[in-house]
Amino acid sequence: MSAPSAAAGARVPVLIVGAGPAGLTLALFLTRQGVRPTLVERRAGTGNLPRAFSLQARTMEILRAAGVEQAVREASAGAGLAHLRGILSVETLASDAGRWVLPPDVPTFDPGPLSPVGGVCCPQDLYEPVFAKAAVEAGARIEFGSELVDFEQGPDEVLAVIRSADGRLRTVHAAYLVAADGAASPVRERLGVPRSGRGTLVASAINVLFRADLSAAVDGRTFFMCTAFNQRASVALTPRDASGTWSMLGVALDGDGQPEGDYTPARCARLVRDAVGVEDLPVEVLRAIPWRSGMRVADRFRTGRVFLVGDAAHTMSPSGGYGANTAIHDSHNLAWKLAAVLHGRAGDRLLDSYDAERRPVARATAEQAALRTMTGHQGPGEGGRPAIRDDFTIMFGHRYDSSAVLGAEAGEPLPERLDLTARPGTRAPHAIRAARSADQAPQSVLDRFGRRFVLLTTGDRRWSEAVGLVHRRFGLPVEECRLDADPHGVDGAVLRAYGLASGDALLVRPDGFVAWRSDGPPEDAWPQLADAFTRLLGLETTVGDGTGRPSTPEEHHGRTTDRAL
């Protein structure tokens, strides 16, 4: 799977450290933006523990745009997990019918009108190889068995020292370094970036991969998670495949309900039996890793030319299954911005928007996971407790307020109510475009987004001319998506979802978030769009003739000007 190692002294655009969900997807997303990164991972391959096993609908939208949604679903189906739904809570799996914390028919995995895709139950050790394979095939270099041992920032590059699998040291010159190296992140520690948050929530947890025949205890029930709470165990059981392999995450308890920390293989097998409720159950412990649950968020996600993503930037309780999804969203946000700067289409200030956008969202999401761990509460705050947001708001409703969004409304990064009405700073809403002909199928407007800027218009030629000028003037891949302006026509659902009328325009970023909108007749389409891109991309001056006034289409044709980079 790995491509040849970068030669000593090689220059790479982006050096990624760590091949977890954040690092692998960043490599994949960068290749989609025309950047070929190098990723180093000290392990011999991708992870072999299930760990995070739920990819939510918004994450699957992102993976769909990256071309790997179907491969992930096939990996899930191959393990017999694609049909699993619901969270069951029991005292022991064999002792009672239990109660549904999340019934199988609740649309958490199938969000209906909110998205063209649903979530999927797929363990981390199954989807990581999919990400790695796709990234390498698209041009990324992944070096397993290689480790970052030192780095130094300069004004124009990061000088990194890499130890290869054969023990040799070499230097790599990277334009940017991205730390996806986990909760203990040596890169973050070297930078001296502090973390804050609630700290440790569960001090002595264990992640166990085991094989056992639980068919009698399951008794035909179908779930993707079963939580077992009794005097001896507080754990979550999740099926790893259809052959009897399971994952267990949780803690052993003594007779007084206090955590026990002695996790020998025999103790892990005993914990499985305590959760299942079968004293003589044969259990084969395949792997066991002690683990701590906590909430900590780095105080900054960018330090010069170094960025933090995933667990290096934020750790959170597994409650809600937000950790890996949040990590993938980090990488999706950062990838297009790095690519725009590396391609010379944006200024350095665009990269500051990564911290401005992702850190508040990560902190709010980590807080939601912590609240679920501490209270088990699944609704609005009561009795003075903070409100727990619903899953769809956390999946789809987070919003950004930064220089890379024009006209964002001030407010919480996770609002109380889900608002997908195409406001700047929010994820562009899903709406169906009707089939144009008998040989076409209806399509979500979201399928037009994901690789470049897209300007939604109602077909006014002035916006079309402005898009062409932006493409030539900024060297920026930008597309126009022309909608039928008839509210009863084939694009009526899109017009309603986006609040667009004749003459309006709305700009969607490569990550699928609304960046800017213009309501009303486009008398000055080119100056408006030029000014919007200049500000969004962090450029120094407005594109134009040197006076700060954007050039008109007539002035632009026939002469060459320098880009404001």
Side-chain angles (χ1 to χ4, degrees), residues 259-333:
E260 291 182 349
D262 182 17
Y263 291 112
T264 63
R267 185 68 189 89
C268 290
R270 176 74 265 165
L271 181 57
V272 172
R273 297 186 187 102
D274 290 339
V276 176
V278 178
E279 282 292 324
D280 58 350
L281 179 72
V283 177
E284 179 186 2
V285 175
L286 304 176
R287 189 114 187 260
I289 296 180
W291 182 76
R292 290 185 175 187
S293 171
M295 176 208 167
R296 296 178 178 86
V297 180
D299 288 357
R300 58 181 184 273
F301 286 10
R302 180 190 187 187
T303 302
R305 290 181 169 269
V306 183
F307 299 84
L308 307 179
V309 296
D311 284 355
H314 45 74
T315 57
M316 58 188 72
S317 162
S319 297
Y322 305 125
N325 290 278
T326 304
I328 293 170
H329 297 184
D330 291 342
S331 295
H332 193 234
N333 182 285

Side-chain angles (χ1 to χ4, degrees), residues 75-344:
S76 173
L81 306 176
H83 67 291
L84 298 182
R85 300 287 187 273
I87 300 176
L88 183 67
S89 179
V90 299
E91 181 177 353
T92 69
L93 188 59
S95 68
D96 66 297
R99 65 178 184 87
W100 289 104
V101 176
L102 182 69
D105 57 352
V106 170
T108 299
F109 275 82
D110 303 298
L114 297 178
S115 176
V117 301
V120 67
C121 179
C122 187
Q124 187 171 330
D125 60 329
L126 294 184
Y127 62 69
E128 281 187 354
V130 172
F131 299 161
K133 180 175 183 291
V136 170
E137 289 177 346
R141 176 185 288 112
I142 299 180
E143 301 178 15
F144 289 110
S146 294
E147 183 178 9
L148 175 73
V149 296
D150 197 11
F151 70 93
E152 182 177 349
Q153 287 201 69
D156 301 313
E157 67 176 9
V158 178
L159 183 63
V161 180
I162 307 297
R163 180 185 292 115
S164 300
D166 59 7
R168 296 182 182 180
L169 297 178
R170 72 183 193 280
T171 58
V172 172
H173 301 263
Y176 297 99
L177 172 67
V178 180
D181 51 348
S185 180
V187 173
R188 186 193 64 237
E189 294 301 305
R190 168 70 182 274
L191 293 171
V193 177
R195 294 186 294 169
S196 56
R198 292 182 177 271
T200 300
L201 299 173
V202 179
S204 179
I206 189 76
N207 191 346
V208 181
L209 187 67
F210 68 94
R211 185 173 291 118
D213 182 2
L214 303 188
S215 56
V218 171
D219 192 25
R221 291 169 291 183
T222 300
F223 51 80
F224 76 86
M225 176 187 290
C226 177
T227 58
F229 301 110
N230 57 61
Q231 290 183 332
R232 302 295 302 172
S234 176
V235 305
L237 296 165
T238 59
R240 165 56 177 77
D241 57 41
S243 68
T245 304
W246 290 73
S247 174
M248 179 181 66
L249 180 67
V251 297
L253 303 176
D254 63 20
D256 297 323
Q258 299 300 312
E260 291 182 349
D262 182 17
Y263 291 112
T264 63
R267 185 68 189 89
C268 290
R270 176 74 265 165
L271 181 57
V272 172
R273 297 186 187 102
D274 290 339
V276 176
V278 178
E279 282 292 324
D280 58 350
L281 179 72
V283 177
E284 179 186 2
V285 175
L286 304 176
R287 189 114 187 260
I289 296 180
W291 182 76
R292 290 185 175 187
S293 171
M295 176 208 167
R296 296 178 178 86
V297 180
D299 288 357
R300 58 181 184 273
F301 286 10
R302 180 190 187 187
T303 302
R305 290 181 169 269
V306 183
F307 299 84
L308 307 179
V309 296
D311 284 355
H314 45 74
T315 57
M316 58 188 72
S317 162
S319 297
Y322 305 125
N325 290 278
T326 304
I328 293 170
H329 297 184
D330 291 342
S331 295
H332 193 234
N333 182 285
L334 180 60
W336 74 269
K337 297 173 181 178
L338 283 172
V341 174
L342 287 165
H343 289 316

